[in-house]
Amino acid sequence: MALLEQQPPESKGPSLVVQLAILLVMSALAGGAAWFAGSYLESRTAVEESGTAESEDAAHGNPGSEQAAVPGPVGVYTIEPITTNLAEPSEIWVRAEMALVFEGEPDPVIAEAVHQDLFAYLRTIKLRQVETASGFQHLRSDLEERARVRSDGAVKQILFRALLFE
C-alpha cells in the first residue's frame, strides 16, 4: 500500500485554459490567412478587369489607352450544327457543334462555305479513325486545315462545343 500512495498522480493533459488559448490563436491565424487571401484575390481581379478595359480601349483605338493595340480583334462565329452519318459504319450518326475563330471580323459568307466543306468532310470519316484521343486530335487538325484552306487563312482555329456519336 505504501507504494501506491507514494506515486505522483498521472497527468491528464493540458489544462482547459491552455486548450482555449491554443484554439484562439489558431482561429486568429485562420482568420488572418483568409483575410489575406481574399484581399489578394480581390486586388488581382481588379487588375485583370482594368487590364481588360485598357486592352479593349487600345483595340478600338481610343485615345488615352496606355497599352499597344492588339494585333487584331479575334472574332468567334458559331456555325450551324452538323448532323450526318459516317462513311463506315453508315448507321452511326455524328452531330458536331463548332465555332470558327476568325482573325478580324467574322465573315458569314466564308463561314457558310467552311461549314459546307466541314459537312462534306465529316461524311467521309470512319468511326475507327476517331475512336481514340489521338484520333480526335487528328480529326480536329484535319478540320482546321480544311477551314484555313477554304477561307484563305481567315479562319485560325475551330472550337468544338459538342461532338456526339450515336
Side-chain angles (χ1 to χ4, degrees):
M1 275 292 185
L3 281 177
L4 293 176
E5 292 174 8
Q6 291 178 358
Q7 292 179 345
E10 292 184 23
S11 174
K12 296 188 180 188
S15 70
L16 182 61
V17 175
V18 173
Q19 288 180 352
L20 287 176
I22 291 174
L23 178 67
L24 287 175
V25 168
M26 295 297 287
S27 297
L29 287 174
W35 175 80
F36 176 74
S39 62
Y40 172 75
L41 291 175
E42 184 178 343
S43 67
R44 185 172 175 174
T45 306
V47 168
E48 287 176 359
E49 287 175 358
S50 67
T52 303
E54 290 173 0
S55 65
E56 287 176 1
D57 289 342
H60 295 299
N62 295 340
S65 62
E66 299 172 0
Q67 293 183 350
V70 181
V74 177
V76 177
Y77 187 86
T78 303
I79 59 176
E80 292 294 319
I82 298 173
T83 304
T84 185
N85 60 327
L86 298 178
E88 187 180 306
S90 60
E91 62 270 2
I92 300 292
W93 288 77
V94 62
R95 178 179 171 92
E97 296 178 13
M98 297 178 279
L100 305 174
V101 178
F102 282 85
E103 185 67 36
E105 288 295 317
D107 185 3
V109 175
I110 292 175
E112 185 60 31
V114 169
H115 178 269
Q116 292 303 316
D117 195 39
L118 298 179
F119 175 76
Y121 181 74
L122 283 174
R123 289 185 58 88
T124 65
I125 64 171
K126 298 177 173 85
L127 184 60
R128 67 176 178 270
Q129 291 175 300
V130 292
E131 284 180 332
T132 63
S134 62
F136 172 72
Q137 291 298 328
H138 290 300
L139 172 68
R140 183 178 181 177
S141 66
D142 289 345
L143 291 174
E144 286 179 352
E145 182 179 344
R146 291 181 75 90
R148 271 190 225 105
V149 168
R150 177 63 70 179
S151 67
D152 293 326
V155 174
K156 299 298 178 191
Q157 187 179 10
I158 293 179
L159 303 175
F160 279 89
R161 298 178 63 208
L163 182 64
L164 304 170
F165 293 93
E166 183 179 298

